[in-house]
Amino acid sequence: MIYSEQLPILLMIFPLFAAFAISVTGVFHTRYCYPVAVCALIGSLYTSVGVLFEVLEKGVIHYRLGGWPPPFGIEYVIDYLNGLVLVVVSFVSLGAVIFSKESVKQELPDKIPQFYTLFVLLVTGLLGMTVTGDAFNLYVLLEISALATYALIAMGKGRAMFSSFIYVIMGTLGACFYLLGVGHLYIMTGSLNMGDLYTLMPDLYASHAILVAFLLILVGIWIKMAFFPLHGWLPNAYTYAPTATSCLIAPLMTKVSVYIMIRIMFSTFSPAFVFNTFAAANVIVWMAVAAIIGGSILALAQTDFKKMLTYLIVAEVGYMVGGIWLANRHGITGAILHIVNDALMTLCLFLVVGIIVYKTKGHQFNNMQGLYKKMPITMAAFTIGALSMIGVPPTAGFFSKWYLILGAIDSGQWSFMAALLFSSLVNAVLFFRVIEIGYFEPFADHHGHGHHDGAAIAIDEAPLSMLAPLVVVALSLIILGVYAGYIVTNVIQFAVPAGI
Amino acid sequence: METIITDYNYWIYILLMMIGLYAMLSQNNLVKKIIGMSIFQTAIIVFYVSIGAKKDATIPIIEHGHGHGAASQAISALQYVNPLPHVLMLTAIVVAVSTLGVALAIILGIHRQYGTLEEDEILEQI
């Protein structure tokens, strides 16, 4: 059937054309922006699930853009790894876009068309980065999503504009390093296709140019994913971004960057090069340990709930990078499972922040006093998200952490295991403190915030368009936890490169 | 010494890149940071464009209509410069221009918000 052959490109075409449609219709009427964006992302989710099932049935899909054969034309490759990541990206972005309706109306009433245009463009970039099999195409899509993110963050209030500027500088630096690395690969091999590079490079592994290329690409991606010493831009940018924006970028940007790192390490270079020739795995696991501990300690120091979550993202990046560089099956399985779980956990917690901001106009800890009585459903979902972040068994977070710890034991990286346990403890302290504030401290009226609005919004349960995605995501955390074994044996097992 | 002369294109791009990096990281004025960013991106474009060049090679357009028969149609890749890095850089230029546009728009907003473009003065106000 011709339709099913075109699925890999369709999943990008939906949000791309929606971006055009929204920017045109937005001129006449802002009412149509939201439904168009939702429909486009439903289309993406539908096609990405279709693509994943096709991969499970028939194996790896190679899609040639314009029918040109791989080394000359751009090729889209979908295997077990990015099939899974595609579903996560489109699911999370659909949840975030459904949630955004009321929040955008409240925070950005005069920028609705611009917001949704950039929003779907960002999703296009993320899906494209996941699906592409061409190193230069990846750079272009990386920049498409980054440019959309800069503008989306700059729409926020307060420090947003300045934080976004710092992100522009750092993000451009990261992308340029990546481009420079790709240039070195091109000089050495004359090819830009990842599969082609994989077959051409083994003879050249001894060359210094290849080593420099790998280092440049790695550092570039690390800046993009805010790996610990390079994380400086992330917390402010994500904290001051508009609520609906941070619901999309916080779960996805770092996770897609981790996916790109896996793709570069195992499908462009090979495990043999990365773990034997490059031979810096120990150093990088130590850096991951620093990321986990540093992120956790910085999170402890915060009194702002949203900012605390952004530091936890920095710690979670350490989990995934460390898991991959453990260089064994359990570690990599854990890291890939954690991409899925962490995207959903972060989305769940940021949706809760979004509802609290919508109702109380702030995201400090004292905005949460007494909320368990006022909005029980929201806070129940928050509790599930928090338990998953800590890693309590029935929820998804436990299982990826379990695999990561098994991986640490397998390769004898006790420091990494200690860091994981330390981070779980810190998470427990952090989230039980928030739960205590929400459950036991009495509800206080915040006259300081928004008394101009009068009693426009009473503090009670959020509207359905906000609550529905939150409840679905919270339940999916438990369902993912229950089916973690199924996902590992049927999908992730095949995504881990053979011979590890 | 010989490597400096024969591979001078690499030395030029490294020099440009370091100038850009220095300006991005050390300048206090936000506009100067953006100028540094542009120099940095241009350095990479210089790098890519220079690797496509060859001595005694011509523009990569196949000449038709000269001579007849199979022998005159044979194409020797050595005669032409490599067009691929140049085409890639067209895309990279577009990306660089749009990044510059977004950065300038953000700077306009910052100036409206704080009334200054000096980083230390902005940080004082925050």
Side-chain angles (χ1 to χ4, degrees), chain A residues 441-471:
Chain A
E441 290 188 18
F443 178 75
D445 219 358
H446 296 287
H447 292 291
H449 303 279
H451 56 101
H452 294 294
D453 307 71
I457 297 171
I459 308 290
D460 56 1
E461 212 49 89
L464 187 67
S465 70
M466 293 180 138
L467 221 47
L470 177 63
V471 170

Side-chain angles (χ1 to χ4, degrees), chain A residues 21-321:
Chain A
I22 291 168
S23 58
V24 172
T25 54
V27 176
F28 304 109
H29 215 298
T30 55
R31 195 173 38 171
Y32 302 117
C33 297
Y34 175 72
V36 172
V38 171
C39 288
L41 296 184
I42 288 175
S44 286
L45 180 60
Y46 177 74
T47 40
S48 59
V49 171
V51 166
L52 178 62
F53 276 109
E54 202 160 305
V55 170
L56 291 180
E57 238 171 74
K58 296 176 193 159
V60 182
I61 300 174
H62 292 270
Y63 180 84
R64 296 169 177 185
L65 282 182
W68 294 93
F72 307 108
I74 292 170
E75 181 191 27
Y76 282 0
V77 183
I78 299 153
D79 56 12
Y80 292 93
L81 175 59
N82 58 358
L84 186 66
V85 177
L86 280 176
V87 174
V88 173
V89 170
S90 44
F91 180 78
V92 168
S93 50
L94 180 61
V97 80
I98 291 173
F99 174 86
S100 70
K101 187 181 182 191
E102 301 297 329
S103 164
V104 172
K105 261 187 208 161
Q106 189 194 45
E107 285 179 38
L108 306 162
D110 51 345
K111 291 198 185 111
I112 294 175
Q114 289 90 328
F115 175 84
Y116 283 110
T117 306
L118 290 168
F119 193 99
V120 288
L121 208 55
L122 172 53
V123 178
T124 311
L126 291 171
L127 288 171
M129 273 148 85
T130 315
V131 84
T132 190
D134 184 279
F136 188 79
N137 197 234
L138 178 61
Y139 163 76
V140 176
L141 291 158
L142 193 72
E143 283 297 62
I144 288 177
S145 54
L147 285 168
T149 317
Y150 304 148
L152 281 172
I153 290 174
M155 283 179 186
K157 293 191 180 68
R159 277 185 78 164
M161 202 78 89
F162 187 63
S163 311
S164 173
F165 181 78
I166 304 288
Y167 185 19
V168 172
I169 297 286
M170 291 308 287
T172 307
L173 206 57
C176 284
F177 277 138
Y178 175 82
L179 185 58
L180 204 54
V182 171
H184 281 75
L185 291 186
Y186 179 73
I187 292 178
M188 295 306 288
T189 62
S191 181
L192 291 167
N193 181 282
M194 289 179 183
D196 203 28
L197 284 169
Y198 183 81
T199 52
L200 285 171
M201 267 198 293
D203 298 337
L204 302 164
Y205 280 161
S207 153
H208 287 296
I210 296 287
L211 199 67
V212 169
F214 184 65
L215 258 179
L216 283 170
I217 291 177
L218 208 57
V219 171
I221 299 171
W222 281 349
I223 294 177
K224 285 277 181 191
M225 74 166 83
F227 189 46
F228 178 59
L230 308 166
H231 71 287
W233 56 268
L234 185 139
N236 280 335
Y238 285 12
T239 307
Y240 296 101
T243 310
T245 303
S246 43
C247 287
L248 179 67
I249 57 178
L252 289 183
M253 289 299 277
T254 50
K255 262 48 94 186
V256 172
S257 307
V258 172
Y259 157 76
I260 291 173
M261 190 178 78
I262 301 178
R263 178 62 66 204
I264 295 288
M265 282 168 67
F266 299 144
S267 310
T268 309
F269 292 86
S270 64
F273 172 80
V274 170
F275 297 128
N276 300 335
T277 317
F278 185 61
N282 271 329
V283 179
I284 293 168
V285 172
W286 272 104
M287 285 166 72
V289 170
I292 295 170
I293 293 178
S296 303
I297 289 175
L298 287 168
L300 266 177
Q302 306 305 319
T303 55
D304 182 322
F305 184 43
K306 201 174 175 187
K307 203 162 198 175
M308 178 193 102
L309 291 180
T310 60
Y311 279 107
L312 287 183
I313 295 176
V314 174
E316 302 284 330
V317 168
Y319 280 37
M320 289 174 274
V321 175

Side-chain angles (χ1 to χ4, degrees), chain A residues 136 139-140 143 147 150-151 154 157-162 164-166 168-170 172-173 176-184 186-187 190 192 216, chain B residues 10 13 17 21 24 30 33-34 37 40-41 44 47-48 51 82 84-85 88-89 91 95 98-99 102-103 106-107 109-110 113-114 119 122-123 126:
Chain A
F136 188 79
Y139 163 76
V140 176
E143 283 297 62
L147 285 168
Y150 304 148
K157 293 191 180 68
R159 277 185 78 164
M161 202 78 89
F162 187 63
S164 173
F165 181 78
I166 304 288
V168 172
I169 297 286
M170 291 308 287
T172 307
L173 206 57
C176 284
F177 277 138
Y178 175 82
L179 185 58
L180 204 54
V182 171
H184 281 75
Y186 179 73
I187 292 178
L192 291 167
L216 283 170
Chain B
Y10 296 132
Y13 108 78
M17 205 169 92
L21 194 63
M24 273 163 100
L30 301 189
K33 274 183 193 282
I34 290 187
M37 186 177 88
F40 192 88
Q41 288 172 320
I44 292 172
F47 163 70
Y48 265 84
I51 63 177
N82 183 357
L84 185 68
L88 294 179
M89 282 311 102
T91 318
V95 169
S98 38
T99 313
V102 172
I106 289 174
I107 275 203
I110 290 177
Q113 195 176 355
Y114 300 102
E119 197 178 2
I122 293 170
L123 287 174
I126 292 171

